[in-house]
């Protein structure tokens, strides 16, 4: 089994819902995103998946979040746009693209600072 991982980032504003503290106020982060996929097969070039494809698809998805107020976006209409919920949303959206017998999204980690991250996997 092979695990391939990319790192990317986006910036956005949000406020946590039902949170008793400063983060209930509007604020922003420069989120770092780590996406890991697994595969047990390599192609003729010896690749599980081209990193360029994984980066492109992930960055295309992140463009829908970048420089936005996350609370106003449909994926977060009914849930607080916490790092945990962002990681889950990205995982499910990427699974629609990379969910096959050959390639599977293993985990998505969203870092809201250099010292705090949330991961989602199934």
């Amino acid at each position: 089994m092979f695990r391939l991982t990319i790192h990317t980032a986006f910036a956005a504003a949000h406020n946590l819902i039902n949170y008793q503290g400063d983060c209930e106020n509007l604020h922003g982060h420069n989120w770092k995103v780590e996406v890991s996929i697994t595969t047990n097969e390599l192609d003729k070039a010896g690749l599980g998946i081209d990193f360029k494809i994984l980066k492109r698809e992930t960055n295309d998805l992140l463009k829908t979040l970048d420089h936005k107020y996350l609370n106003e976006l449909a994926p977060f209409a009914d849930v607080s746009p916490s790092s945990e919920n962002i990681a889950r949303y990205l995982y499910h959206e990427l699974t629609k693209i990379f969910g096959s017998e050959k390639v599977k999204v293993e985990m998505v980690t969203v870092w809201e600072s250099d010292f705090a991250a949330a991961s989602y996997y199934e």
Side-chain angles (χ1 to χ4, degrees), residues 5 19 22-23 26 30-31 36 78 94 100 106:
T5 302
Y19 180 83
D22 291 341
C23 292
L26 178 64
N30 292 317
W31 275 282
S36 294
D78 298 320
L94 290 169
S100 70
E106 178 185 48

Side-chain angles (χ1 to χ4, degrees), residues 39-59:
T39 183
N40 58 5
E41 293 181 26
L42 301 180
D43 64 15
K44 291 179 184 177
L47 305 176
I49 187 171
D50 191 328
F51 283 123
K52 287 191 283 186
I53 294 169
L54 183 56
K55 287 179 186 177
R56 182 188 69 226
E57 296 295 336
T58 301
N59 286 331

Side-chain angles (χ1 to χ4, degrees), residues 100-116:
S100 70
E101 289 183 25
K102 180 183 172 191
V103 177
K104 179 185 182 311
V105 178
E106 178 185 48
M107 182 166 50
V108 174
T109 301
V110 175
W111 294 81
E112 68 175 43
S113 75
D114 289 339
F115 306 103

